[in-house]
Amino acid sequence: MNDELEYRAVLAVDIERSAGRGDRALLEIRARLTQMLKEAFEASGVDWSACLRHDLGDGLRVTAPAGTRKAALVHPLVPELALRLRTYNRGAAPLTRIRVRIALHAGDVHVSPDGTVAGSPLEVLARLLDAAPARAALAGAPETVPASLLLSGHFYDETVRHGHLGLFPEDFRKVGFTVKEHTADAWLQLPGREPPPDPDTAGAAPEPADVQEEPAGPETAGSQTAGSQTAGSQTAGSKMVNKASGHGVVYATQHGTQHIRIERKH
């Protein structure tokens, strides 16, 4: 066995909800995904023919050539792949639409003369690909979002954290996950979207805005009450502060002319 280790970047993609589509649909989406990956690698300046590829059944693992600039595998590769997936999905039938989870890691691996790759970085990559935060983020995103991206802490620290061209740390959210015996932090992004919401705060109601009333000026507009509906305004010079509650609607001009409509429930 070759004991020499090579530092390589490794990428894996897994097709969301691939089971149950039937053989013909699965063969179609696998072929389409492979072609789009090839195009995205080449658009990023990474030689696809020099990559070592391994079939994952409903996805693909790619070991980049030695010396590949890791940042290029995040940008422009991921946006290039997401663009192709989204464009393809517009015209695809439901059975052949493709959304994927993408995982990225790097480390020392064994590369055999026949192209076989082995080593613990591949185990980490497999855990990233199966991590619950990436699954949940993609499942909860609109159908127009074609991918989720999860970077290992090591990969993030060596690429995104430095803010290289096209890489924005604020577009990622730190998540923790456990898959089998592997527990770690990683960095999550939905390409083309704002950072995925933190599930601990995602449903929280927004804080009410503070309303500060100005002292009444020489002119004061009245208020009108109907049941629980009230509306009123105060003017100070040309500045107006309006308040409305219930079903009252207040319309006012800058100089204090006020129109109030009370909508009653019947």
Side-chain angles (χ1 to χ4, degrees):
M1 179 179 178
N2 180 14
D3 291 329
E4 292 295 323
L5 295 173
E6 297 183 19
Y7 184 80
R8 298 285 190 103
V10 286
L11 174 148
V13 294
D14 186 89
I15 302 167
E16 182 190 50
R17 297 194 299 266
S18 61
R21 301 200 201 190
D23 290 347
R24 291 183 62 185
L26 184 58
L27 289 172
E28 170 72 12
I29 61 179
R30 279 162 45 94
R32 293 280 188 172
L33 177 59
T34 300
Q35 180 60 32
M36 286 185 276
L37 268 173
K38 177 178 182 292
E39 293 172 0
F41 267 80
E42 291 176 346
S44 304
V46 182
D47 185 358
W48 179 253
S49 64
C51 293
L52 301 174
R53 303 183 292 276
H54 179 75
D55 189 345
L56 299 178
D58 51 2
L60 199 68
R61 187 183 73 217
V62 182
T63 302
T68 297
R69 190 173 66 90
K70 293 196 301 300
L73 300 180
V74 183
H75 181 88
L77 192 149
V78 172
E80 289 284 347
L81 178 59
L83 175 63
R84 285 164 172 77
L85 286 168
R86 188 169 181 180
T87 302
Y88 162 76
N89 284 341
R90 281 181 177 173
L95 275 179
T96 55
R97 288 177 190 153
I98 307 171
R99 300 211 305 173
V100 299
R101 298 188 312 280
I102 308 167
L104 275 166
H105 185 44
D108 292 332
V109 295
H110 297 274
V111 180
S112 300
D114 64 358
T116 301
V117 183
S120 59
L122 301 187
E123 297 175 4
V124 174
L125 184 69
R127 305 300 179 251
L128 288 165
L129 195 61
D130 201 34
R135 287 181 177 274
L138 186 59
E143 286 297 318
T144 53
V145 175
S148 67
L149 170 64
L150 195 63
L151 307 182
S152 68
H154 170 71
F155 202 103
Y156 177 91
D157 286 342
E158 291 198 341
T159 57
V160 176
R161 184 174 65 85
H162 300 288
H164 295 304
L165 182 64
L167 302 180
F168 300 94
E170 63 271 21
D171 289 348
F172 290 79
R173 176 169 64 85
K174 189 176 183 179
V175 298
F177 72 97
T178 298
V179 177
K180 297 183 178 179
E181 75 291 346
H182 185 79
T183 298
D185 290 329
W187 292 87
L188 178 65
Q189 182 198 43
L190 291 176
R193 295 268 298 187
E194 294 297 319
D198 188 331
D200 294 334
T201 60
E207 292 292 329
D210 292 332
V211 178
Q212 182 176 359
E213 295 188 21
E214 297 291 337
E219 297 179 0
T220 302
S223 64
Q224 188 168 354
T225 306
S228 64
Q229 295 100 8
T230 63
S233 66
Q234 294 178 327
T235 59
S238 63
K239 184 173 183 179
M240 174 168 282
V241 178
N242 293 312
K243 296 171 63 182
S245 63
H247 301 282
V249 181
V250 177
Y251 303 92
T253 65
Q254 185 179 16
H255 299 289
T257 302
Q258 179 177 255
H259 306 279
I260 303 174
R261 185 177 79 236
I262 303 298
E263 298 178 353
R264 301 177 186 275
K265 291 184 177 180
H266 297 286

